[in-house]
Amino acid sequence: MTTSSHHHHPSEPPTAHPSASGKGTGSPSFDPIAVADDLARTFAATAIERDKLGGTAKRERDQLRASGLLALSVPTSLGGHGRSWSLVLDVVRRLARVDGSLAHLFGFHHLLLGTARLFSPEAQWAPWLRSTVEHSWFWGNALNPLDTRTTIVARDGLTHLQTHPQTHQIDGQKSFCSGASDSDRLVVSALDPDKRLVVAVVPTTRAGILILDDWDNMGQRQTDSGQVRFEGVVVDESEILRQPGPLGSVFASLRPCIAQLVLTNVYLGLGEGALDEGARWTRGNGRPWVTSGVERPSDDPYVLHHAGEFWVALAGARALADAAARQLDEAWGRGDALTAAERADTALGIGTAKVAATRAGLAVASGIFEITGARATAARAGLDRFWRNLRTHTLHDPVDYRLRELGRWVLTGAPPRPSFYS
Amino acid sequence: MTTSSHHHHPSEPPTAHPSASGKGTGSPSFDPIAVADDLARTFAATAIERDKLGGTAKRERDQLRASGLLALSVPTSLGGHGRSWSLVLDVVRRLARVDGSLAHLFGFHHLLLGTARLFSPEAQWAPWLRSTVEHSWFWGNALNPLDTRTTIVARDGLTHLQTHPQTHQIDGQKSFCSGASDSDRLVVSALDPDKRLVVAVVPTTRAGILILDDWDNMGQRQTDSGQVRFEGVVVDESEILRQPGPLGSVFASLRPCIAQLVLTNVYLGLGEGALDEGARWTRGNGRPWVTSGVERPSDDPYVLHHAGEFWVALAGARALADAAARQLDEAWGRGDALTAAERADTALGIGTAKVAATRAGLAVASGIFEITGARATAARAGLDRFWRNLRTHTLHDPVDYRLRELGRWVLTGAPPRPSFYS
Amino acid sequence: MTTSSHHHHPSEPPTAHPSASGKGTGSPSFDPIAVADDLARTFAATAIERDKLGGTAKRERDQLRASGLLALSVPTSLGGHGRSWSLVLDVVRRLARVDGSLAHLFGFHHLLLGTARLFSPEAQWAPWLRSTVEHSWFWGNALNPLDTRTTIVARDGLTHLQTHPQTHQIDGQKSFCSGASDSDRLVVSALDPDKRLVVAVVPTTRAGILILDDWDNMGQRQTDSGQVRFEGVVVDESEILRQPGPLGSVFASLRPCIAQLVLTNVYLGLGEGALDEGARWTRGNGRPWVTSGVERPSDDPYVLHHAGEFWVALAGARALADAAARQLDEAWGRGDALTAAERADTALGIGTAKVAATRAGLAVASGIFEITGARATAARAGLDRFWRNLRTHTLHDPVDYRLRELGRWVLTGAPPRPSFYS
Amino acid sequence: MTTSSHHHHPSEPPTAHPSASGKGTGSPSFDPIAVADDLARTFAATAIERDKLGGTAKRERDQLRASGLLALSVPTSLGGHGRSWSLVLDVVRRLARVDGSLAHLFGFHHLLLGTARLFSPEAQWAPWLRSTVEHSWFWGNALNPLDTRTTIVARDGLTHLQTHPQTHQIDGQKSFCSGASDSDRLVVSALDPDKRLVVAVVPTTRAGILILDDWDNMGQRQTDSGQVRFEGVVVDESEILRQPGPLGSVFASLRPCIAQLVLTNVYLGLGEGALDEGARWTRGNGRPWVTSGVERPSDDPYVLHHAGEFWVALAGARALADAAARQLDEAWGRGDALTAAERADTALGIGTAKVAATRAGLAVASGIFEITGARATAARAGLDRFWRNLRTHTLHDPVDYRLRELGRWVLTGAPPRPSFYS
């Protein structure tokens, strides 16, 4: 139990143990929370400037590589830290408090490692994960099922009747390829001649892969979520995730659950970060309103009211996100024994948390200015980046459809149908 | 992990174990959750009719006496079930899903037992709790610090310089005395000549106690929260809770935490009950809107949206209430070793949950009709009782002041100051 | 311009002239606003008691008959007051501030008079309206297009190929027949053998009409909105509204516009009434919260905040409702020259006002208790009736579908398709 | 009445005449609405780029000078267009739909002209206004009562006992001086030795005035709201507004009313602009969500719902703003006959509109992305500028204190106390 004899960091629930994360079984001397908090402090120092610049956060990506955190979810047998999803997500949230872009890239790196584990047999993914630890690989994303412009065909002239020709070729273009720039491995999706989704893992340096570096958005500006072009990119059969393939089993269908919970924790961290920074600004610079009759903003009844509201919203989302992470850990631990009903429970828990984090994050990021007052709108304060990041990222897939899914389950008991978005 | 292969009761989170409660150490054959759910089914059958009638739910109170649930929090060494606050609060919530009044009376019975334990030494409270088990006593409330019309004076002519005369006399009147009617023991507060609050435990049958049975409110209609008059009621020194007395130690100041968390779980149960009944009504009687183009309400996108929203709101409040109950269990277990900082954490966690439950409960109880449509406003459906109960009960103390307390802590780190309301 | 040197009635906007209504051209000595306010005061004295009783407000209906207000919309040439819809709706709102049921019955009386005028030629409706003035007829509703259990067939053996046999027979049952009890004329709808909607005006005393008096709802308890049974009710061809018939022309399709604006003004009046009564209660009985540090509730920053919020919500809805009423007056004045585009504008303005009034009304009626505090939940205060009335009445048709209609227009320019609900 | 046979621009209410503005009495051939709409189209073409650049919108300011719109509120007798505040505010709103900064500068120019008229006698202000027309002066703001760092002292050695020495000297610094850059006249406030606020009108080129051009904020980026330094700036007695002086009469206390209503219309225009641009984007680029089952976003029930909600919120704020503008016109027309009660009514109406516009604007500007989807977050779409502009500008003074003022009036009838912010 934490104490409140000194001032809590507002992103720390008064109730919580220092970290909501399970401890995992990995290298005991490695304290990922401490490492993450250190990195977060480093990232914070330049976050406002880098948000302005956009582009690839090369130095910070290398700091992540050097930190060991990219090996967090890799089994200890392969040299990794063997930590739980709960812990990975806790780190995502801590990074997001100061930098939504890096939090997203970090979370998706582990999602992509998990994708390999879910969609292919251990014999296939184990070497990739071992190399990830050895070479500090950063994985990037080119798996965007909504963008159907990329195709894969057999390269050796065999028809699609032969399901496994030895080499293939990918052509086309993909948008929203977060973290492709400066990545070491790319997870790529493409449609085969039968319009089936094929997912492969390839080195980013593979000939024919062109990263367009064309991401210029209002938020999440250093996620490099631009387009990647594929021109005759050769892919070996051994690089394709066939067994069980994309969403090819109940267990494999945990993939979107992980993705959604990464997003959830980015949103939550951004909301917490907005409250942290807004409260700090107010303590340092805030002035009471001229007719408030009080001496400090922290005596103003309306300022206190807003702060209380923000806290309650974030605390609720956090409690749901933590519970959902525990569900995910449990479901992950079930492996191929995972049932459809258990998967549904996990998806519902995660969906609930995601809606709450979306709402809480946006409310805090927009509302925090009611606490700080007008002078906190100075560009140098950078306080608008939380809203811009949240607003951009919360559109990944519509929260309205998450609510529809939850509502259907409440009214009819029908579970969400697994897809890349639910 | 529950399964969703069959339809979840919407009040069961998809993630949860069947009960959020700790198991406690008491009589292993006694399953309080099963007993509570049985009772809840019984109460549900007459809830609408009893809401209309108001007055004392004598038969249901006797069913609670017979159920053994009134001994739930009593230590096993005294013949009770020795269960945790988490479990008591889980039962409160389950009862509140069908009957907010009985849930409140049940919760306050345990709060009053806890009050004796917090404000007096074991030698004093142990016999009361043992008798509570033996005689199935139901405790009632006449402790209302806001109503200062009741006084206590030494009866034997001693001045207040002698702090412990042997007999005292209470005179005056108190409002909001929930559960006083048909109670066996009353916890009474009064002001001594120095305006200090004195709390005593007396038999409800004590001469001079007049229960006015004048509770006629828009909601919580069977809580008997009317007035009690005291006319020369003799109280023995041994009945007064002196060591450490009301809020007389850090541990004793857990009392309002328990009270607030009982309220929280009543609100949450009422919200869950509204969703349960509304969803059931809609499945059984609902018709799609004429221009919706769908065949069943559960295919209407707006109906699903509302149901999803209600679910998310309740799930967030539930996660916070469960976490707060775990905090309370832990704080209770610390006994006199409890520090002010630990108490503050507990109070903040409970305050957070209370705000969330207030908001979620009211939103669902008023909004559920968007799902059911107009015909569910028939008096026989009784669906308005959830809002009336919530609206009445959520005014116990203003949620605005709970938010102020949370906001102050967020901005300054100042803990809530213990009082009977925080 | 009103002055604020004395205290405004909160339902009076600070900006407004005493009445938003046009003056009309009728009997100049008749001041309908003064008459309505007098009646409202009378109704207020018994509103809480009558809400409890439910049933037919016979005495109050007779007071409305005696007041002359039932002739408000009847042309002066037929002996009526010839006032505008704006004025009729202003009276609806004033009555709703104290009694939602009577406001609804009064508004629907005029809607039914308007229905005759819209669906039939003047030669047909003029005698009915003249008699309405002469005999103080109160019109009641049995036109419910969603309830298809009532049929009309030719009574003289003619087939439906002959469209106008001289006598017809209505059989079946209708729900939600507001104001049928104690009415003098009923507007009835039924389906002919070709499933076309037929609307007729008949004396309520016609043989075979059975008013079931079975309305027992959580709100709007004196609207007598129960069922009516028709057993071989003979209807003459001259009683059927054929030219242009139900929604049979652009002008005739103003009918649902009027209906929706009556509802809007009932909602708005109920919201204003809740604020009026809550504010009055607070001035008379309110106590500041114990930790507020202020002496009166009206110095509590949160109480003021809620009151401000309620005011803004109601003021916005009122401004929209007043603008919509002016649109309706203008559209009504256009008669058969009314174009589809003009009708669409009117419907959109009314739909906008209705959504706003629904939201504002519910928010105030549920939230007003944050101002009054717990003691205002006493049954004798009757303050919950505003929420119960609003909640019941706002389900007439789903506000979600009104929003869909508005959203479609915003995005595509498509006008709402005229129906009995839009 | 407009027609909806073609598609309404969403910022045009379906009910409204083309312009809500009064016609005024000025040069009949000058159509300010047409001129404003032309300018708005021109500004729109570069708005996204200029938002990025920040700094002084020199070209656009000159286009405003050339347009004649800076003479809009100047009496015809002095060569101006003699139009009403309603019309000026309508132009503010139209400009704000595409460019919040220019709208603000334009509105404050007229506010500053009005300030001269309210705080000084006609003989003093008439020449200034005449020159404003002749030389197309743009007025800028250095009147910020919250910033007390600027002082004024008698320059000719006279003590403050002589209230009117002939020359004075201003020293110090002021923040939030919107529109000072590139202005022709500045309205400056400073504190005299008795701490009384003194307001003067001086040429911006006056020696000692240093415009720091240091405005770099997250929103309203071309308002030049940076700091101005005054170093021994000589001011002649004839440049000081003494009769009746700042807020020196009831009529003079209309000044903050005008300021608040300018802000209100900037907020409203920004909200309307967000809906316009979001809807246009969606029509042109939007894609339906993959599981929506519809072909176009405008068939998606949730997209329609959001659009409907946005429309209702803006329509309510617009109706209030238009009503408040009519109140202001009327109050302005009363001149020195204006009573305190009339002024209070005006202030309350404006305050109500301001709260509604704040809420509606922010809700639309943040929520519009629910309609457009993720791809509209591209920097080139510039859709975030509406939120950034609104968020920045709505902090001018806290909406919480506007609500407190309204709440106090509702509960007690106490009028707002005139100040520079109410």
Side-chain angles (χ1 to χ4, degrees), chain C residues 2 8 15 309 327 345 359, chain D residues 2 309 327 345 359 409:
Chain C
T2 61
H8 281 287
T15 80
E309 292 277 14
Q327 282 187 280
D345 281 350
R359 296 284 168 79
Chain D
T2 62
E309 293 275 15
Q327 282 187 281
D345 281 350
R359 297 283 167 79
W409 171 76

Side-chain angles (χ1 to χ4, degrees), chain C residues 6-28:
Chain C
H6 71 290
H7 181 225
H8 281 287
H9 200 252
S11 53
E12 295 297 327
T15 80
H17 299 278
S19 161
S21 324
K23 290 287 177 275
T25 58
S27 42

Side-chain angles (χ1 to χ4, degrees), chain A residues 1-10 12-17 275 278-280 282-283 297-299 301 303-305 307-309 311-312 315-317 319-320 323-324 326-327 330-331 334 338-346 348-352 355-356 359 371 399-400 403-415, chain B residues 1-10 12-17 275 278-280 282-283 297-299 301 303-305 307-309 311-312 315-317 319-320 323-324 326-327 330-331 334 338-346 348-352 355-356 359 371 399-400 403-415:
Chain A
M1 188 178 284
T2 61
T3 64
S4 60
S5 52
H6 71 291
H7 182 226
H8 282 286
H9 200 253
E12 295 296 330
T15 80
H17 299 278
L275 181 54
R280 186 162 45 240
T282 303
R283 282 191 292 269
S298 57
D299 292 326
V303 166
L304 297 178
H305 188 87
E309 292 277 14
W311 171 261
V312 171
L320 290 168
R326 290 190 295 267
Q327 282 187 280
E330 194 174 345
R334 301 270 292 137
L338 187 74
T339 67
E342 290 165 344
R343 193 271 177 197
D345 281 350
T346 307
L348 291 163
I350 291 170
T352 302
V355 175
R359 297 283 168 79
I371 285 180
V399 74
D400 288 321
L403 284 165
R404 184 177 74 167
E405 193 174 270
L406 290 166
R408 176 161 291 145
W409 171 76
V410 167
L411 282 181
T412 72
Chain B
M1 187 180 283
T2 61
T3 65
S4 61
S5 54
H6 71 290
H7 182 226
H8 282 286
H9 201 254
E12 294 297 327
T15 79
H17 298 279
L275 181 54
R280 187 162 45 241
T282 303
R283 282 191 292 268
S298 57
D299 292 326
V303 166
L304 296 178
H305 189 87
E309 292 277 14
W311 171 260
V312 171
L320 290 169
R326 289 190 296 268
Q327 282 187 280
E330 196 173 341
R334 302 269 291 136
L338 187 74
T339 68
E342 290 166 343
R343 193 270 178 195
D345 282 350
T346 307
L348 291 163
I350 290 170
T352 303
V355 175
R359 297 283 167 80
I371 286 180
V399 74
D400 289 320
L403 284 164
R404 185 177 73 165
E405 191 175 88
L406 291 165
R408 176 161 290 146
W409 170 76
V410 166
L411 283 181
T412 71

Side-chain angles (χ1 to χ4, degrees), chain D residues 29-43 63-64 66-70 72 81 91 94-95:
Chain D
S29 65
F30 181 73
D31 178 350
I33 298 301
V35 171
D37 285 347
D38 268 356
L39 263 188
R41 269 185 292 273
T42 304
F43 294 169
Q63 288 170 326
L64 272 167
S67 73
L69 289 173
L70 297 183
L72 210 51
H81 296 297
V91 171
R94 284 165 191 270
L95 297 178

Side-chain angles (χ1 to χ4, degrees), chain C residues 138-160:
Chain C
F138 214 134
W139 290 45
N141 189 34
L143 191 170
N144 175 354
L146 289 188
D147 189 341
T148 57
R149 294 173 297 166
T150 302
T151 59
I152 184 166
V153 294
R155 190 177 168 82
D156 37 16
L158 300 183
T159 75
H160 69 271

